[in-house]
Amino acid sequence: MTGSERLTSQTARPAALPPPRVPLNQRLRLHAGYEWRNSGNPLLTGLRVGWDTRSWGTFPAVRSDLGGVSISYSGLPEGLAYTLEFTEHRREEGLGESAVRTATTLKGRNLTSPPQLPDADIVIVGTSRAKARQLPSNASLIMPIRVHFVLDFGEDFKNTHHQASKGARRDFRQKSRQHDWAFGVEHDPAWFEFFYDRIYMATMLERYGERARTESRDSAYECLFRSGVLFYLSANGKRVAGHLCHWDPSSGVLTSRLLGVLDGAAEHYSAGALKVMYFLLIEWAAKNGARRLDFQGTEAFLSKGTYQMKRRFGTRVALPPNHFGGKRLWLQVRRDSPPVRDFLVANPMLTETPDGVLEAVYFHDDKRPARIDYRAESPGVERIRHAGLDDFLSGLGGCRD
């Protein structure tokens, strides 16, 4: 019997909340901080975007040299962890060396003045959508800083697996035959502690090391576990993975927040635990009254593994409902060289067009075919464009291949 046949019928919110674990004043601070980071309230997100891109603020400005390509990032601090680190990870592959960074700061008013930005082969600014559109358009693109992947459960949503790719469905059926999966909801605070230490944190540290971005234990307990849903996945009677989700009963949105596999062990990835858990989470959400399942997001680069994995479930690509929805990246190429072209071709991008729609851009030239193996076809991606680098980089002095 597969995990889908054992699916629990519990409602999407625990019947009784676990007890508080911190004093009331600390709980209030935790919830305020969580809402500041994650709220989809338009008033709060507008306030957050305005504050984060204020002209009198001081912002990081970092140049990163690696693999024959220099990339500078300036602006929103979260872009250091999301955008710059991603570009470093992609340039590190196969080199056995780390990026050399040169860091300084800039005032917010200087972020819209290109001569003030750290010079590099590729220059990136993280700012608001409005300010990104004030920057020059030559050899440049505007990108979302993050995108989310969502499934909408309408009245006609009959088959929870039908929207997923054929390959994903085939993998799920195969993994279901190989292991005896069971999926359910856990309310015990002791299981939360086990999940946080042995599953979530272990996975983050194993996968990302010093680059791991994590939710604090108290915030995860107070803002997610006490009012959300904590799932477990068992294989052959042993719990091997978990998934902590935020639940908003007013909107009917179930949002993926924290997840992982036991001890971050590669054997559980190989067994397909995360992919199976995603399928069973879709089934659970559809059967328990959720109107939308938000798988959370990733960087807007098609070469990001998380991007390719989440799109396989038939999700719709959307701008984030929180403050990230009002933020953008402005990316400009300043120098044309073979390593720069290699990087651009190897990392197709999801961009925002002047008329506000999401468009996938694949770069190519006579020697570098477009990387169409990084698929872009998803609801929410309105256009796909193949951009010749000779035209895009015209005026930069040419490339000596």
Side-chain angles (χ1 to χ4, degrees):
M1 183 179 292
T2 68
S4 60
E5 293 171 316
R6 283 203 194 88
L7 204 60
T8 66
S9 60
Q10 300 179 58
T11 59
R13 181 169 179 169
L17 294 178
R21 59 185 290 160
V22 297
L24 177 60
N25 61 340
Q26 186 177 347
R27 288 169 56 199
L28 293 174
R29 288 196 297 271
L30 288 170
H31 280 279
Y34 184 86
E35 291 300 311
W36 183 246
R37 297 190 303 275
N38 298 294
S39 174
N41 182 293
L43 293 177
L44 190 56
T45 58
L47 180 64
R48 172 75 193 260
V49 172
W51 173 257
D52 285 354
T53 59
R54 61 198 183 278
S55 61
W56 66 91
T58 301
F59 297 90
V62 179
R63 172 173 161 144
S64 166
D65 287 84
L66 178 64
V69 179
S70 59
I71 297 179
S72 73
Y73 174 84
S74 307
L76 300 165
E78 56 260 36
L80 294 175
Y82 289 121
T83 307
L84 188 62
E85 284 190 3
F86 172 77
T87 70
E88 290 176 343
H89 174 73
R90 293 291 290 164
R91 286 178 287 154
E92 284 173 359
E93 292 183 352
L95 293 180
E97 60 184 78
S98 300
V100 176
R101 287 188 174 188
T102 305
T104 184
T105 59
L106 285 175
K107 289 295 184 181
R109 68 180 70 92
N110 293 329
L111 293 176
T112 52
S113 175
Q116 302 293 323
L117 303 171
D119 189 36
D121 298 331
I122 299 173
V123 175
I124 304 174
V125 174
T127 185
S128 68
R129 180 179 186 268
K131 290 184 177 181
R133 289 175 175 268
Q134 297 173 16
L135 287 159
S137 60
N138 59 302
S140 68
L141 299 166
I142 293 177
M143 305 171 57
I145 191 169
R146 302 277 288 171
V147 291
H148 277 210
F149 300 82
V150 300
L151 275 177
D152 299 299
F153 301 109
E155 293 182 359
D156 59 345
F157 195 96
K158 306 296 183 184
N159 187 338
T160 56
H161 295 176
H162 180 70
Q163 292 176 264
S165 70
K166 290 182 180 179
R169 296 198 305 270
R170 182 178 59 249
D171 288 347
F172 175 68
R173 290 192 299 269
Q174 181 184 53
K175 300 302 182 185
S176 295
R177 290 191 297 267
Q178 292 174 347
H179 299 276
D180 185 18
W181 301 104
F183 186 71
V185 176
E186 180 60 76
H187 307 301
D188 187 348
W191 166 244
F192 166 82
E193 299 293 342
F194 183 88
F195 163 80
Y196 188 86
D197 290 326
R198 294 285 304 279
I199 294 178
Y200 168 61
M201 286 298 294
T203 297
M204 293 300 101
L205 294 175
E206 181 65 26
R207 293 188 67 181
Y208 303 109
E210 295 180 355
R211 291 176 172 173
R213 302 184 292 270
T214 60
E215 191 82 21
S216 75
R217 183 190 302 270
D218 285 343
S219 177
Y221 186 91
E222 295 296 331
C223 304
L224 293 173
F225 178 62
R226 293 191 72 240
S227 57
V229 193
L230 176 57
F231 298 95
Y232 66 83
L233 178 72
S234 295
N236 306 319
K238 179 182 179 180
R239 294 189 178 185
V240 297
H243 205 150
L244 181 55
C245 295
H246 179 269
W247 169 242
D248 183 354
S250 63
S251 64
V253 177
L254 184 68
T255 303
S256 168
R257 290 295 187 198
L258 315 180
L259 75 162
V261 298
L262 183 63
D263 296 328
E267 64 184 281
H268 302 308
Y269 288 104
S270 299
L274 283 186
K275 294 177 182 178
V276 167
M277 189 163 60
Y278 272 121
F279 267 112
L280 298 182
L281 180 63
I282 293 170
E283 290 189 7
W284 190 94
K287 292 183 179 181
N288 284 273
R291 291 194 288 272
R292 176 175 297 169
L293 176 56
D294 188 334
F295 280 112
Q296 278 277 40
T298 191
E299 295 86 342
F301 288 91
L302 305 186
S303 54
K304 176 76 173 183
T306 308
Y307 189 108
Q308 291 300 314
M309 188 269 288
K310 291 184 177 181
R311 64 170 295 277
R312 296 183 70 205
F313 295 96
T315 50
R316 173 172 57 86
V317 179
L319 293 174
N322 60 15
H323 62 95
F324 283 119
K327 295 175 176 177
R328 299 291 185 272
L329 300 173
W330 174 76
L331 182 151
Q332 184 182 56
V333 182
R334 291 192 171 177
R335 282 185 281 277
D336 186 0
S337 71
V340 166
R341 290 188 173 221
D342 290 341
F343 178 84
L344 293 173
V345 170
N347 297 284
M349 305 167 192
L350 197 63
T351 70
E352 184 179 60
T353 67
D355 53 351
V357 304
L358 295 180
E359 175 183 69
V361 175
Y362 291 86
F363 286 111
H364 64 91
D365 62 19
D366 290 342
K367 296 183 179 180
R368 301 169 179 85
R371 289 295 305 271
I372 58 174
D373 50 315
Y374 295 126
R375 302 292 297 275
E377 297 87 354
S378 296
V381 179
E382 301 294 332
R383 303 173 190 167
I384 295 176
R385 177 163 64 96
H386 289 244
L389 283 168
D390 292 340
D391 291 333
F392 183 76
L393 300 177
S394 62
L396 298 186
C399 173
R400 295 190 298 274
D401 251 329

